[in-house]
C-alpha cells in the first residue's frame, strides 16, 4: 500500500515511479479522491461543532422560556445531526474507494532497479559453477531412465488433472531429502526460526501480503472462504500483522517448508511437459521482518542464503536483478536465481528474493517502536525462496545424469539418503 502523504508531497515522483513499470500516471485521480475525502471529513467536523454549539444553546433557551428559540435550536440540532451522519458516511465511502484504488497500484521500484520491459532486460549480477559437459545429449528430468518410472504424471492426471505429478520410491525420497537439507541449513547455519505454518489463510492475510485483490485468479479459494497459499510468505509475513514490535526484536527471520498452490492462470501452453510448472508444489520459504535501515543489507543476506544452497549441491546458477517490467507487484527490488538445466540447455528460475519495503507493512499495519522512544514506524518485509524443492529436484537430476540413465547425486544429500549417492538406471538408490 502506498503512503498517501508521500503522494501528496511529491505526485510527480509517484507518477515517474509508475511510469518506470509501464503504468499510467495515477496521482491526479488519487489526489482528487483524497481531497474529496478530506473535504467531507472537514465538513463533518464543522457540522459537528455547530451541532454541539446548538445543543448547548437548547438548554439555555428552555431555561429562559423562549419557546420559539428552543424549537428552532432543537430543529437545528436534529438537522446538523443528520448532516454529520451523512457526511461521515460519505467520507467513509470515499476512504474505502481511495483504499481500493491504492490497493491495485504496484510498489515503486528502488532507484537501482534497471529499467526494462520484460525478462530480456534483466541484468545478470552473478554466475557460479560451470555447466556440466556430456558426451551424450542430456535429457530432461522426466526422460531420464532412472527417473521416468518414479515420476508418474498419468496417475496424477487420473487423480487430479493436468499439472500434477506423483513422485514414487527413490525420487520421492530425494525430493524429501532436498527439503530437509534446505530447512536444516537455514535453521542450523543461517539463523532462521522454523515455522510449521497453515496453508489455509483468510482474506486478511492475502490482502496484507498484496495477493488480494489483484491476484485472486492466481490462487485457489475454498467454498468456505479460505485461500490455499501460493507461498508460505503469506502466513509467515502476516505473523506481525497489527503488531507494534520493539526495535530490539528486529530482524525476525523465519522459514517454513510447505505445500504451495497456484492456478497458473495465464500460463496455458507453457512448460506443460515435466514438473517445472505445477498447480501443487513444495517450497522452503524465507521471510525477514526488518528495520528500514537494515532491509537492503538483509536482502543481500537472504540472497546469499539461497545461493549457498545451490553451491552446496554443486548446481550451476546465475543471479539476475529483475528490471522494472518483470518485477512482481509488491516488490521494490527482486533478484532471481536461475539454475542450469542441461535438458533445456538454459537457466530457469529456482528462487526469487524480494524486498517490499513498507508496502506490505502498511497494508497489515505492522510497526515497531524505535529504541529512542520516537513514534512507531512501519517495518520492512522481505521474502525469498530457499528454494523451490521441485525445481531443485529437476536441477539435481538433470545435472547429475549419466549416459546409462543413472544419476549421481550431490554429496550434501548423502546423510539424508542413508549414505546413498546414486540413483541407478532402474530407479534404485545405491
Amino acid at each position: 500500500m502506498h503512503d498517501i502523504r508521500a503522494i501528496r508531497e511529491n505526485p510527480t515522483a509517484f507518477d515517474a515511479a509508475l511510469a518506470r513499470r509501464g503504468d499510467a500516471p495515477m496521482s491526479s485521480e488519487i489526489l482528487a479522491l483524497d481531497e474529496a475525502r478530506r473535504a467531507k471529513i472537514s465538513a463533518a467536523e464543522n457540522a459537528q461543532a455547530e451541532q454541539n454549539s446548538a445543543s448547548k444553546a437548547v438548554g439555555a433557551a428552555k431555561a429562559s422560556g423562549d419557546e420559539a428559540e428552543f424549537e428552532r435550536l432543537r430543529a437545528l440540532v436534529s438537522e446538523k445531526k443528520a448532516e454529520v451522519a451523512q457526511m461521515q458516511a460519505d467520507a467513509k465511502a470515499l476512504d474505502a474507494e481511495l483504499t481500493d484504488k491504492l490497493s491495485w497500484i504496484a510498489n515503486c521500484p528502488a532507484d537501482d532497479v534497471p529499467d526494462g520491459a520484460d525478462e530480456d532486460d534483466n541484468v545478470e549480477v552473478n554466475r557460479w559453477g560451470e555447466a556440466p559437459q556430456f558426451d551424450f545429449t542430456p535429457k530432461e528430468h522426466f526422460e531420464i531412465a532412472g527417473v521416468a518410472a518414479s515420476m508418474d504424471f498419468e496417475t496424477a492426471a487420473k487423480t487430479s488433472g493436468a499439472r500434477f505429478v506423483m513422485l514414487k520410491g527413490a525420487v520421492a525420497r530425494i525430493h524429501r531429502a532436498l527439503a530437509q537439507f534446505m530447512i536444516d541449513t537455514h535453521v542450523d547455519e543461517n539463523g532462521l526460526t522454523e515455522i510449521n505454518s497453515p496453508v489455509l489463510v483468510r482474506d486478511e492475510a492475502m490482502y496484507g501480503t498484496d495477493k488480494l485483490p489483484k491476484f485472486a485468479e492466481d490462487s485457489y479459494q475454498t467454498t468456505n472462504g479460505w485461500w490455499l497459499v501460493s507461498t508460505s510468505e503469506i502466513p509467515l509475513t502476516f505473523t506481525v500483522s497489527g503488531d507494534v514490535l520493539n526495535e530490539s526484536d528486529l530482524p525476525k527471520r523465519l522459514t517454513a517448508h510447505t505445500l504451495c498452490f497456484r492456478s497458473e492462470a495465464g500460463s496455458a501452453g507453457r512448460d506443460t511437459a515435466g514438473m517445472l510448472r505445477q498447480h501443487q508444489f513444495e517450497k522452503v520459504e524465507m521471510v525477514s521482518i526488518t528495520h528500514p535501515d537494515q532491509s537492503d543489507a538483509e536482502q543481500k543476506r537472504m540472497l546469499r542464503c539461497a545461493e549457498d544452497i545451490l553451491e552446496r549441491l554443486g548446481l550451476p546458477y546465475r543471479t539476475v536483478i529483475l528490471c522494472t517490467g518483470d518485477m512482481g507487484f509488491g516488490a521494490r527490488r527482486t533478484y532471481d536465481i536461475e539454475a542450469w538445466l542441461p535438458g533445456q540447455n538454459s537457466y530457469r528460475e529456482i528462487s526469487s528474493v524480494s524486498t517490499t519495503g513498507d508496502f506490505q507493512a502498511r497494508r497489515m499495519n505492522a510497526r515497531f517502536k524505535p529504541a529512542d522512544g520516537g513514534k512507531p514506524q512501519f517495518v520492512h518485509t522481505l521474502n525469498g525462496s530457499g528454494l523451490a524443492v521441485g525445481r531443485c529436484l529437476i536441477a539435481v537430476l538433470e545435472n547429475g545424469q549419466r549416459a546409462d540413465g543413472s544419476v549421481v547425486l550431490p554429496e550434501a544429500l548423502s546423510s539424508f539418503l542413508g549414505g546413498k549417492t546414486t540413483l541407478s538406471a532402474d530407479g534404485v538408490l545405491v
Side-chain angles (χ1 to χ4, degrees):
M1 186 71 73
H2 291 280
D3 182 359
I4 186 62
R5 289 173 297 182
I7 301 174
R8 287 187 208 127
E9 291 168 3
N10 200 336
T12 301
F14 177 70
D15 285 340
L18 297 184
R20 293 185 65 202
R21 281 185 171 267
D23 295 335
M26 293 287 292
S27 65
S28 295
E29 184 177 351
I30 293 297
L31 292 177
L33 268 175
D34 180 51
E35 184 176 350
R37 178 185 66 91
R38 296 169 76 190
K40 285 293 184 182
I41 292 172
S42 178
E45 290 172 347
N46 291 336
Q48 182 72 66
E50 292 175 6
Q51 178 189 338
N52 293 342
S53 177
S55 295
K56 293 178 182 178
V58 165
K62 182 70 171 177
S64 67
D66 188 340
E67 192 65 25
E69 181 65 4
F70 170 75
E71 292 297 336
R72 186 188 72 82
L73 289 170
R74 191 168 69 169
L76 180 60
V77 167
S78 180
E79 176 186 334
K80 291 299 176 184
K81 184 176 181 180
E83 282 184 22
V84 168
Q86 184 59 55
M87 290 176 183
Q88 288 176 336
D90 291 345
K92 185 176 181 180
L94 287 166
D95 184 69
E97 185 177 354
L98 176 61
T99 299
D100 180 68
K101 188 73 67 176
L102 289 171
S103 72
W104 288 84
I105 301 174
N107 202 353
C108 296
D111 292 340
D112 60 349
V113 172
D115 290 334
D118 53 37
E119 61 183 17
D120 293 334
D121 296 318
N122 296 338
V123 177
E124 183 175 314
V125 297
N126 183 36
R127 188 177 288 229
W128 184 92
E130 296 292 332
Q133 300 300 309
F134 302 96
D135 57 6
F136 61 94
T137 301
K139 299 178 181 295
E140 291 199 61
H141 56 286
F142 55 91
E143 299 172 322
I144 299 169
V147 176
S150 299
M151 195 170 280
D152 189 345
F153 297 97
E154 291 185 3
T155 304
K158 179 174 67 174
T159 305
S160 303
R163 294 193 189 273
F164 289 92
V165 64
M166 284 189 176
L167 302 181
K168 302 177 181 179
V171 174
R173 186 172 181 182
I174 297 168
H175 184 269
R176 173 164 53 88
L178 281 166
Q180 188 70 57
F181 164 67
M182 293 173 195
I183 204 80
D184 283 0
T185 301
H186 291 316
V187 171
D188 296 338
E189 301 186 36
N190 297 334
L192 281 67
T193 299
E194 183 177 3
I195 306 292
N196 190 324
S197 63
V199 295
L200 288 168
V201 298
R202 300 186 302 173
D203 287 357
E204 294 89 340
M206 292 285 284
Y207 179 86
T209 52
D210 65 59
K211 307 302 180 284
L212 290 180
K214 190 174 180 64
F215 300 106
E217 68 171 9
D218 294 331
S219 299
Y220 292 108
Q221 189 175 25
T222 66
T223 55
N224 59 352
W226 280 318
W227 296 86
L228 287 164
V229 299
S230 56
T231 164
S232 57
E233 167 205 342
I234 298 166
L236 295 184
T237 305
F238 202 69
T239 58
V240 297
S241 172
D243 291 349
V244 181
L245 306 170
N246 293 318
E247 184 175 341
S248 59
D249 295 330
L250 303 176
K252 292 174 70 71
R253 294 171 174 145
L254 311 174
T255 186
H257 166 220
T258 66
L259 286 167
C260 303
F261 305 87
R262 292 183 185 171
S263 70
E264 294 295 343
S267 68
R270 295 180 59 197
D271 302 313
T272 54
M275 60 176 291
L276 193 67
R277 192 179 297 275
Q278 299 276 284
H279 290 308
Q280 173 186 308
F281 57 97
E282 293 179 34
K283 187 151 64 83
V284 172
E285 186 74 2
M286 304 178 292
V287 162
S288 288
I289 314 296
T290 74
H291 188 289
D293 294 344
Q294 299 169 346
S295 64
D296 287 348
E298 186 68 12
Q299 185 179 23
K300 292 179 180 178
R301 180 188 188 277
M302 294 173 71
L303 183 63
R304 276 306 304 151
C305 289
E307 290 175 335
D308 180 61
I309 295 291
L310 289 172
E311 291 173 16
R312 293 181 187 222
L313 293 169
L315 298 175
Y317 70 86
R318 70 172 193 154
T319 303
V320 299
I321 183 171
L322 301 194
C323 71
T324 52
D326 195 35
M327 198 164 55
F329 176 82
R332 65 186 306 269
R333 184 194 302 109
T334 296
Y335 293 97
D336 270 7
I337 306 172
E338 301 173 348
W340 176 252
L341 300 186
Q344 293 194 6
N345 194 37
S346 65
Y347 288 97
R348 297 301 301 264
E349 178 201 334
I350 200 167
S351 172
S352 286
V353 179
S354 300
T355 175
T356 73
D358 63 5
F359 189 76
Q360 292 178 331
R362 289 182 179 278
R363 295 169 80 104
M364 58 184 184
N365 195 28
R367 298 172 294 163
F368 72 96
K369 292 184 292 187
D372 62 10
K375 183 179 178 181
Q377 301 176 34
F378 288 106
V379 298
H380 279 198
T381 62
L382 303 94
N383 61 83
S385 310
L387 305 161
V389 182
R391 291 196 172 196
C392 197
L393 174 66
I394 292 171
V396 163
L397 297 173
E398 292 195 9
N399 282 277
Q401 64 181 296
R402 294 295 178 262
D404 65 356
S406 64
V407 177
V408 176
L409 302 170
E411 181 63 31
L413 297 182
S414 63
S415 62
F416 300 95
L417 297 172
K420 308 295 177 57
T421 60
T422 303
L423 177 68
S424 71
D426 55 0
V428 177
L429 286 170
V430 294

